[in-house]
Each structure stands twice: as C-alpha cells, then as structure tokens.
Amino acid sequence: MTVRLTELVDRLDEELRTDDYADLDASANGLQVGPDDLEVDRVAFAVDGVEATFERAIEADADVLVVHHGLSWGGFDRVTGRTYDRLAPLIENDVALYVSHLPLDGHQDLGNAAGVADVLGLENRAPFGELGPEYVGQRGTAVEAYSPGKLQDRLESELETGGESVQVLDFGPERIEDVAIVTGSGTDWLDDAVDAGVDALVTGEGKGKVYHEAREAGIHVFLAGHYATETFGVRALQDLVEGWDADLETTYFEVPTGL
C-alpha cells in the first residue's frame, strides 16, 4: 500500500511539532527535497543526509529518506559544488528527503535524549535544555546510582560509537543519580545542568572551554559522540512509521562516524 508524500510529511510534522521549532532551528525541518505528488511505499532512515546514505537509499529503491541532519541550514546561496553533488542523485532518482533536527532532539518520547535516557534507565523524567519556549533534551534519575566508570561503560556498550571510547570529564560526585542529556553538541547547556543540580551532563561532543567549566562547577560531563547519541530519534521514527496502517516498507542505514 502506498501513501502520498504529502500525507507522510503531514503525519511526521504533526507528531514532531515541526512548526513550533521553525524560528529556533537553523535546519530547514520537514520536507527538504521532493515532489508533492510522489507515491511512497519504501521509507529509509539514517542519521545524516549525505552522499553515503543517499547512495544506499537509491540502491534500496527508497522513495523517501528520513534523516536528523539534512542539507539546508539556513538555505542555499548556490546549488554548486558539494551541494549540487548531493542534491543531484536525489532529484535524478526521485528520492525525497525529510529532515527533523531539533524537533527530534526535543521530542520527549521519540527523541534522541529520550533514547539515551532509556539506555541509562532513568526515571522521573522531565524536559531539559531550554531553547526559547521549547526543549532539546531530557533529564532524569537513575534507578541505581552509577559510578563514573559504570556510566561510561553503559554508554560504550549501548551506543554506536564506531569503536571510540566515551570521554569523561570526571569532576562530579562519586555517585551519579541525576543526569541531564542534550545529544549532539550540547555543552552549551552545562550551566543549565549545574543550575538544575544534576550530577552529570551526557552529550555528544564538547568545546575546549567545557573542561574548566565542568571542573570549576564540580559536575561530570560525558562526551559519547555526536553521531552515537543521535541514532535513537530516527530509529524511533522508523518504528513509528512501521506501526502505521499504511504497511510501508522501511530500512535503516547505519553509517557511524566515530565522532
């Protein structure tokens, strides 16, 4: 059974509240590439909208690729060079591109932070990481307190880190109970984590200044990889689409970066 691309986009936009993030996100969320009249029966999912995943979507005969990181960050000045090389295969092969960046980070059930919270077994969850009127993360309390080493081991065993170790800025308490999560590049919310009184901030990648900020504040920071912390949202969307009554065929492409 096929569905029109417009129906798929509308259903995803409604679930993700795409319009609510329109003025907050540099990403052009929603449908970035594709004709309105496209009929869809195969949907592919991946973290990044790049040449590698575009090629795999074409090989899989997918009608639409759903990603977290898309092509348009504030629009295109020119469709040349790498931008042209990425766009051309999609257009030539009638593959649509749907993108959800911050809306997928902030979704409290399907989002990336929610997925990391699931891995850590956190309870008493609440939105975390304010961005205007919205949130881009989640916080919660561990059922049993972690040591820094055990939390690091848990992340390394459950996340697609590409074989890389999870970096730990070990400046917090010996018992980690309350954890804040902002996936990807989330160290800008370190002060929020400190103000919230959590023991640790889990994110993907750091900035140089975070070392001394965490040390001075007495909080742990776990850097588990930008890619590794952001596989959960697109996988959750795949499960969501599979549960629709449209009987769409889905596939997921794992292309870890180790970063």
Side-chain angles (χ1 to χ4, degrees), residues 76 78-92:
F76 301 121
R78 301 175 188 274
V79 182
T80 60
R82 186 180 296 113
T83 301
Y84 178 86
D85 291 340
R86 286 178 170 175
L87 278 172
L90 295 177
I91 296 171
E92 291 169 359

Side-chain angles (χ1 to χ4, degrees), residues 43-110:
V43 185
F45 297 81
V47 174
D48 299 312
V50 292
E51 182 178 309
T53 55
F54 295 164
E55 289 176 350
R56 293 180 68 172
I58 293 166
E59 290 173 1
D61 198 24
D63 301 300
V64 58
L65 176 64
V66 176
V67 301
H68 181 50
H69 301 128
L71 294 176
S72 178
W73 301 88
F76 301 121
D77 292 326
R78 301 175 188 274
V79 182
T80 60
R82 186 180 296 113
T83 301
Y84 178 86
D85 291 340
R86 286 178 170 175
L87 278 172
L90 295 177
I91 296 171
E92 291 169 359
N93 291 277
D94 290 327
V95 178
L97 180 67
Y98 180 92
V99 177
S100 187
H101 184 234
L102 293 185
L104 192 52
D105 286 325
H107 197 290
Q108 294 299 297
D109 296 317
L110 304 176

Side-chain angles (χ1 to χ4, degrees), residues 10 94 128 165 173 242:
D10 287 346
D94 290 327
F128 175 80
S165 298
E242 285 182 350

Side-chain angles (χ1 to χ4, degrees), residues 11-252:
R11 293 180 72 169
L12 289 177
D13 281 346
E14 180 179 4
E15 176 63 43
L16 295 163
R17 298 190 300 111
T18 299
D19 289 346
D20 292 341
Y21 287 81
D23 296 328
L24 305 175
D25 199 348
S27 171
N29 296 307
L31 185 65
Q32 284 194 0
V33 180
D36 291 340
D37 59 352
L38 183 68
E39 296 289 331
V40 176
D41 59 17
R42 295 184 183 87
V43 185
F45 297 81
V47 174
D48 299 312
V50 292
E51 182 178 309
T53 55
F54 295 164
E55 289 176 350
R56 293 180 68 172
I58 293 166
E59 290 173 1
D61 198 24
D63 301 300
V64 58
L65 176 64
V66 176
V67 301
H68 181 50
H69 301 128
L71 294 176
S72 178
W73 301 88
F76 301 121
D77 292 326
R78 301 175 188 274
V79 182
T80 60
R82 186 180 296 113
T83 301
Y84 178 86
D85 291 340
R86 286 178 170 175
L87 278 172
L90 295 177
I91 296 171
E92 291 169 359
N93 291 277
D94 290 327
V95 178
L97 180 67
Y98 180 92
V99 177
S100 187
H101 184 234
L102 293 185
L104 192 52
D105 286 325
H107 197 290
Q108 294 299 297
D109 296 317
L110 304 176
N112 290 312
V116 176
D118 288 342
V119 164
L120 298 179
L122 302 187
E123 296 184 333
N124 302 319
R125 300 187 194 179
F128 175 80
E130 287 186 60
L131 186 64
E134 301 296 338
Y135 292 88
V136 292
Q138 193 170 93
R139 59 171 293 189
T141 303
V143 176
E144 295 184 8
Y146 286 98
S147 68
K150 285 187 176 180
L151 198 152
Q152 180 185 28
D153 290 345
R154 181 68 176 170
L155 292 170
E156 288 182 350
S157 66
E158 296 296 327
L159 272 59
E160 297 290 343
T161 64
E164 299 296 322
S165 298
V166 172
Q167 290 183 278
V168 184
L169 304 182
D170 186 2
F171 299 126
E174 293 182 5
R175 289 171 53 86
I176 299 174
E177 296 178 335
D178 297 317
V179 180
I181 304 165
V182 179
T183 62
S185 180
T187 56
D188 286 343
W189 283 270
L190 179 67
D191 286 342
D192 296 60
V194 173
D195 291 343
V198 301
D199 304 311
L201 172 66
V202 176
T203 187
E205 60 184 347
K207 299 177 180 178
K209 65 179 183 177
V210 75
Y211 177 92
H212 288 289
E213 290 176 342
R215 184 173 182 271
E216 292 162 6
I219 187 173
H220 299 292
V221 177
F222 291 80
L223 306 174
H226 197 127
Y227 180 94
T229 58
E230 298 200 325
T231 64
F232 298 96
V234 286
R235 284 188 175 275
L237 289 184
Q238 180 184 13
D239 291 341
L240 177 72
V241 170
E242 285 182 350
W244 289 352
D245 55 8
D247 195 29
L248 295 170
E249 181 180 335
T250 72
T251 186
Y252 173 75

